[in-house]
Amino acid sequence: MKSLTTLNQHQKQSCESPRSLMSDVIDSSSSTSTIESSRSSKSILQLITCPICLEIFREPLQLPCQHTFCKLCLERITEDRWGRCPVCRGCYRVPFAGVGSFEVNRTIVNLLESLSHTEPKPMLKAKCALCKLEDTITVCEHCREAICCKCRRQHYDEFSRYISSKLNETQQETEKLIAKEVENIKNHEENVCRSDDIANVIRNKVADLIEKIKQEETKLLHNVQEFSKAEQKLIDEKNACLQDLSIINKFCLESQGILHSKEETDQEAIEIRQKCEEYVLSVNDLQSRILIVKTPIRRISFFNRDISSDSISLGFVEIGMVLEPIESTVQLSSIFLSSLKIEPSSTTSSTDADLQHCSKQLIRCLSATLQQQSDYPNGSSPSYRSNISTSDNNGCCRQQLQSQNHKRTPRIIGKRGTRDTEFMHPSSLAYSKRDQLIYVCDTYNNRLVTYSIDGIFQQVYTAISETGEIRFHHPYAIHIDSDNRLYLIDQSERRIKVFNRDFKLIRVIGQYGRDVGQYSAPCDLCTNEQNYIFVCDAGGHRILKYSEQGQFLLAWGGLGTDNGQFKCPACVCILNGDRLAVSDWGNDRVQVFNCEGDHLLSIGQRGKLLAEFFRPLGLAYDETTERLFVCDEGNNRVTIFNSDFTTTELVHSKIGFHGPYDILLLKDGRIIISEHRAHRLQII
């Protein structure tokens, strides 16, 4: 009995074993797929996680070492123009435009976008941005904040209230703008109707004038035709007399021959005698008509009365411009108010009372300035240059706007690319007087490009020569001295190299470091008539002076905002009188020194007015007119200062500027400007 029970149990287990085996296989395959999915999710999560904040990437930016970080994280760890990668500890230089100028990692961006549509949101173990508790959180799709499940509704309510308030404000502003635009359209339509009426008046006046001219033409032509008919009648009469005289003359000759051959009178001689008597009477009659009666000889002339352009002018069309009054909500800058002797903290009524003492011309100019300066950062500068002169008499400021002839259409050279006539962030410019060539630093394409003074492409100098010699690595700044030697700042190697015109290395100026006589981040240089070399050390916030042979002589500056101190000096150029101009990039000003480092004056401050800067870069000096040209990179314009540094004007370009970096002046008055954001050159 016991054996039978054991046998039954064995058979039962044998029957159930295939089903159990199949279940085990299914469970095993399911667990395998779960493990593989978990591994895939973890690997993807590692790819889209910032190494600094350990969260999902927000605006992923890629460093030159190919490591990617959030934009906010890079801004938080970057304090100077140079930084080190948190992953590989490699050095990198921050562009002048800031951390945001690093390239966006498109691969990570595309991966994040694809995950938002195909897979659930990645789950991270981190602290909630609201309750600060560690919990399983998700990343908000709106603001990329880490939010736990409990706080998601609260976070969305805050987000909804914020967006609703913004939408309400936008709606109110839109309604105001719509009403204003409707009024403007109505005014423009009235102007169109008035212009049509004026056009009809002009057409009628021109038609009347044409009719009067045609009547005058008819009268003059009739007089000429009458004279011509009278003269033709006289010609016919004279031809008849001439014919009669010719007949008489011929008869006289023939008759004389006949009479000489005769010996006695006959009938033919009598006929000759009778006809001779008739012709004598005819000759007497013609003689009285030709000689005795004086026939006047007439002459015809036309006295042209030249009509000047003024005498035929029908008038002129005047296009008036009425600027709207300044709104009380407009906040004037403290600098401009101080020039008007007005306290910025005063009330609106006191400001209006002070403004009433100024002339109407000042109010118009001030309104034009406030309306136009907002367009300058976008490169849409006005179609004229502006001259500003200030006077403290009676606390007023006078601004004169003059239209100049500097309105030529610029010639555009290049675009973004790697071909011979294309650029990737062009930076410094230099001109060789002997070769009459323009040198351009095509930094990110790692090459030098030359053009003729007419803007015709000539040659490309690559980083490696034909013999395999390494010339440079990412050229950043270039200068050509009076002896036609080429000075080149190598960005990656941080070296200042001197070449001859065969591009053979002559010497290296200075060395990398932060000690006296060394530079950490050279960004520009220039030479004077004595061939002294002046170097901008942006990393050390100072100016270095070397001899022609490269021997260190002098250094001045230091990090700060006082006169003589710098914050990332960007460019340098030589002025007349052994003076030196330096664009103080971080302090938004231009400082002038003598060649021994003594501070002379500072120009400008941060702002958008004509005498102010926002990240000034390239400098150029016109020795003939003693004018200083400054590339105001942040405001997307080029400002010109006179010899006394008081009157300013703008270089006009019909297409505007986008990131002007360096400027070059040619002898024929043309200007060449490199735009590193637009990847092009402009010849104006």
Side-chain angles (χ1 to χ4, degrees):
M1 185 67 181
K2 183 178 180 180
S3 61
L4 181 60
T5 304
T6 305
L7 180 61
N8 292 333
Q9 291 176 354
H10 179 71
Q11 291 177 352
K12 187 177 180 180
Q13 291 177 358
S14 62
C15 293
E16 292 177 354
S17 59
R19 183 181 303 174
S20 175
L21 181 60
M22 182 62 67
S23 177
D24 293 340
V25 171
I26 294 174
D27 294 340
S28 176
S29 62
S30 176
S31 62
T32 302
S33 62
T34 303
I35 293 173
E36 291 179 354
S37 176
S38 177
R39 290 178 180 176
S40 175
S41 178
K42 290 181 180 179
S43 61
I44 294 176
L45 189 60
Q46 292 177 357
L47 290 176
I48 61 176
T49 302
C50 176
I52 297 178
C53 63
L54 300 179
E55 295 182 0
I56 302 298
F57 278 117
R58 307 173 190 174
E59 300 183 55
L61 299 179
Q62 186 173 346
L63 296 180
C65 60
Q66 306 301 316
H67 290 116
T68 305
F69 305 93
C70 297
K71 179 181 178 182
L72 295 177
C73 296
L74 285 178
E75 291 177 348
R76 189 170 65 251
I77 66 173
T78 302
E79 298 179 354
D80 205 347
R81 298 295 300 167
W82 291 90
R84 288 186 177 274
C85 176
V87 177
C88 65
R89 307 304 297 169
C91 292
Y92 65 89
R93 179 176 182 177
V94 181
F96 283 113
V99 173
S101 296
F102 284 120
E103 294 186 3
V104 178
N105 193 328
R106 298 296 179 186
T107 304
I108 299 298
V109 172
N110 295 334
L111 183 58
L112 290 173
E113 292 177 353
S114 62
L115 286 176
S116 62
H117 294 87
T118 59
E119 296 186 7
K121 301 168 186 176
M123 309 296 288
L124 296 176
K125 284 291 183 180
K127 290 184 178 180
C128 177
L130 297 181
C131 63
K132 306 300 181 182
L133 298 177
E134 293 185 359
D135 195 1
T136 301
I137 64 173
T138 58
V139 178
C140 177
E141 294 294 338
H142 307 293
C143 59
R144 310 298 296 175
E145 289 287 349
I147 306 296
C148 66
C149 298
K150 298 178 181 179
C151 299
R152 286 188 63 83
R153 184 61 190 178
Q154 177 185 355
H155 178 67
Y156 178 76
D157 292 340
E158 294 178 356
F159 167 79
S160 179
R161 286 194 296 271
Y162 173 77
I163 295 300
S164 299
S165 63
K166 291 297 181 182
L167 290 174
N168 189 21
E169 293 176 1
T170 305
Q171 180 184 1
Q172 294 177 359
E173 294 295 330
T174 304
E175 291 175 353
K176 294 180 181 179
L177 294 176
I178 289 174
K180 186 65 177 177
E181 287 300 320
V182 169
E183 182 181 357
N184 292 336
I185 292 174
K186 183 178 179 181
N187 293 333
H188 291 311
E189 289 177 349
E190 292 178 356
N191 290 335
V192 170
C193 296
R194 181 168 177 78
S195 63
D196 293 338
D197 296 339
I198 293 175
N200 293 331
V201 172
I202 293 173
R203 292 190 186 96
N204 294 333
K205 289 181 68 68
V206 171
D208 294 340
L209 183 60
I210 292 174
E211 183 64 26
K212 292 180 180 179
I213 292 175
K214 288 184 176 180
Q215 292 176 2
E216 187 71 15
E217 177 191 16
T218 303
K219 182 183 71 174
L220 295 175
L221 292 178
H222 176 72
N223 294 336
V224 173
Q225 291 174 358
E226 290 294 328
F227 176 82
S228 178
K229 291 180 180 179
E231 290 298 316
Q232 187 63 42
K233 183 177 179 181
L234 291 175
I235 290 173
D236 295 339
E237 293 178 357
K238 297 298 181 182
N239 285 332
C241 293
L242 181 61
Q243 186 176 4
D244 293 340
L245 291 174
S246 299
I247 294 173
I248 294 172
N249 186 33
K250 182 179 179 181
F251 171 75
C252 292
L253 291 177
E254 293 177 353
S255 298
Q256 288 178 6
I258 295 173
L259 292 175
H260 286 302
S261 62
K262 290 184 177 294
E263 295 180 355
E264 59 181 21
T265 303
D266 55 6
Q267 185 64 31
E268 187 176 9
I270 294 172
E271 292 177 357
I272 291 174
R273 176 177 173 273
Q274 292 177 353
K275 191 170 285 190
C276 180
E277 291 176 353
E278 294 177 0
Y279 284 151
V280 168
L281 296 175
S282 299
V283 170
N284 291 334
D285 182 49
L286 294 174
Q287 186 177 8
S288 63
R289 291 165 55 187
I290 297 174
L291 299 178
I292 299 175
V293 179
K294 299 295 184 181
T295 303
I297 300 176
R298 300 193 302 174
R299 295 287 186 269
I300 185 170
S301 301
F302 176 68
F303 294 95
N304 182 24
R305 183 179 298 170
D306 293 329
I307 302 176
S308 62
S309 58
D310 295 335
S311 62
I312 65 172
S313 176
L314 302 178
F316 62 93
V317 176
E318 180 182 11
I319 301 176
M321 181 178 294
V322 179
L323 295 177
E324 296 181 357
I326 302 176
E327 299 291 341
S328 60
T329 56
V330 176
Q331 300 294 328
L332 302 180
S333 65
S334 60
I335 302 303
F336 208 95
L337 289 176
S338 63
S339 65
L340 294 174
K341 304 297 184 182
I342 300 173
E343 294 296 329
S345 60
S346 61
T347 60
T348 304
S349 60
S350 63
T351 301
D352 295 337
D354 291 331
L355 286 176
Q356 288 177 359
H357 296 288
C358 299
S359 62
K360 295 182 179 179
Q361 181 181 4
L362 169 64
I363 302 300
R364 290 195 298 268
C365 295
L366 182 59
S367 301
T369 302
L370 292 174
Q371 292 175 2
Q372 293 161 3
Q373 295 303 323
S374 62
D375 296 333
Y376 285 171
N378 297 328
S380 56
S381 58
S383 60
Y384 51 79
R385 294 177 174 178
S386 298
N387 292 340
I388 296 181
S389 61
T390 59
S391 173
D392 292 331
N393 298 329
N394 300 323
C396 292
C397 163
R398 293 175 299 173
Q399 180 176 357
Q400 298 176 350
L401 304 178
Q402 279 188 336
S403 177
Q404 303 289 340
N405 292 326
H406 194 58
K407 293 184 179 180
R408 293 173 294 184
T409 302
R411 179 178 179 183
I412 305 302
I413 299 177
K415 60 180 180 179
R416 185 185 180 99
T418 58
R419 298 179 181 177
D420 290 343
T421 57
E422 297 175 342
F423 303 102
M424 285 285 288
H425 301 287
S427 54
S428 181
L429 302 173
Y431 177 66
S432 174
K433 295 181 180 180
R434 295 185 183 179
D435 302 332
Q436 293 187 351
L437 291 177
I438 301 167
Y439 287 77
V440 184
C441 281
D442 194 2
T443 304
Y444 283 84
N445 281 330
N446 196 18
R447 64 187 182 183
L448 292 178
V449 186
T450 60
Y451 288 84
S452 66
I453 58 176
D454 296 326
I456 301 175
F457 170 80
Q458 298 295 321
Q459 189 176 357
V460 171
Y461 294 94
T462 57
I464 302 176
S465 65
E466 297 177 356
T467 59
E469 180 183 1
I470 299 178
R471 296 169 173 166
F472 47 78
H473 191 60
H474 293 104
Y476 191 73
I478 188 173
H479 174 74
I480 299 176
D481 63 7
S482 57
D483 296 329
N484 213 32
R485 289 174 296 199
L486 190 145
Y487 296 77
L488 190 67
I489 294 180
D490 197 326
Q491 184 182 32
S492 298
E493 296 182 2
R494 301 177 189 177
R495 288 288 183 269
I496 301 175
K497 300 178 180 180
V498 186
F499 298 88
N500 60 15
R501 295 312 307 118
D502 295 329
F503 232 92
K504 300 296 181 181
L505 182 64
I506 301 176
R507 67 177 67 91
V508 176
I509 305 296
Q511 59 181 347
Y512 171 77
R514 293 188 178 271
D515 295 335
V516 177
Q518 297 178 336
Y519 43 75
S520 60
C523 56
D524 196 22
L525 59 88
C526 67
T527 58
N528 60 3
E529 295 179 355
Q530 293 78 26
N531 286 329
Y532 289 117
I533 306 169
F534 299 88
V535 180
C536 272
D537 184 12
H541 311 284
R542 58 187 175 179
I543 302 297
L544 305 176
K545 180 179 179 181
Y546 296 88
S547 66
E548 183 179 1
Q549 289 74 27
Q551 180 182 1
F552 172 75
L553 300 177
L554 179 66
W556 71 86
L559 180 60
T561 58
D562 296 335
N563 291 331
Q565 294 181 327
F566 304 99
K567 186 177 180 182
C568 298
C571 294
V572 61
C573 76
I574 298 294
L575 309 180
N576 287 343
D578 281 337
R579 294 177 300 169
L580 195 72
V582 181
S583 59
D584 194 357
W585 184 85
N587 290 325
D588 301 301
R589 63 184 178 183
V590 175
Q591 298 193 61
V592 181
F593 303 85
N594 61 18
C595 290
E596 299 304 319
D598 298 325
H599 179 268
L600 300 179
L601 75 149
S602 296
I603 308 169
Q605 59 186 353
R606 184 164 189 169
K608 297 180 180 180
L609 298 179
L610 291 179
E612 297 174 342
F613 303 106
F614 183 60
R615 304 305 188 215
L617 283 177
L619 302 173
Y621 185 72
D622 190 348
E623 297 178 356
T624 304
T625 60
E626 297 184 352
R627 297 193 301 174
L628 178 64
F629 293 71
V630 183
C631 288
D632 194 357
E633 186 260 353
N635 287 326
N636 288 312
R637 61 187 181 186
V638 177
T639 310
I640 307 175
F641 291 85
N642 288 343
S643 58
D644 54 358
F645 302 107
T646 56
T647 302
T648 59
E649 52 185 357
L650 296 177
V651 175
H652 171 78
S653 175
K654 292 185 178 180
I655 64 173
F657 301 106
H658 189 53
Y661 190 96
D662 200 6
I663 184 170
L664 190 64
L665 307 179
L666 300 181
K667 293 296 183 180
D668 57 358
R670 291 182 298 170
I671 302 173
I672 301 179
I673 298 174
S674 63
E675 300 175 82
H676 70 101
R677 293 182 187 173
H679 312 282
R680 67 189 181 191
L681 305 179
Q682 282 197 49
I683 301 180
I684 304 175

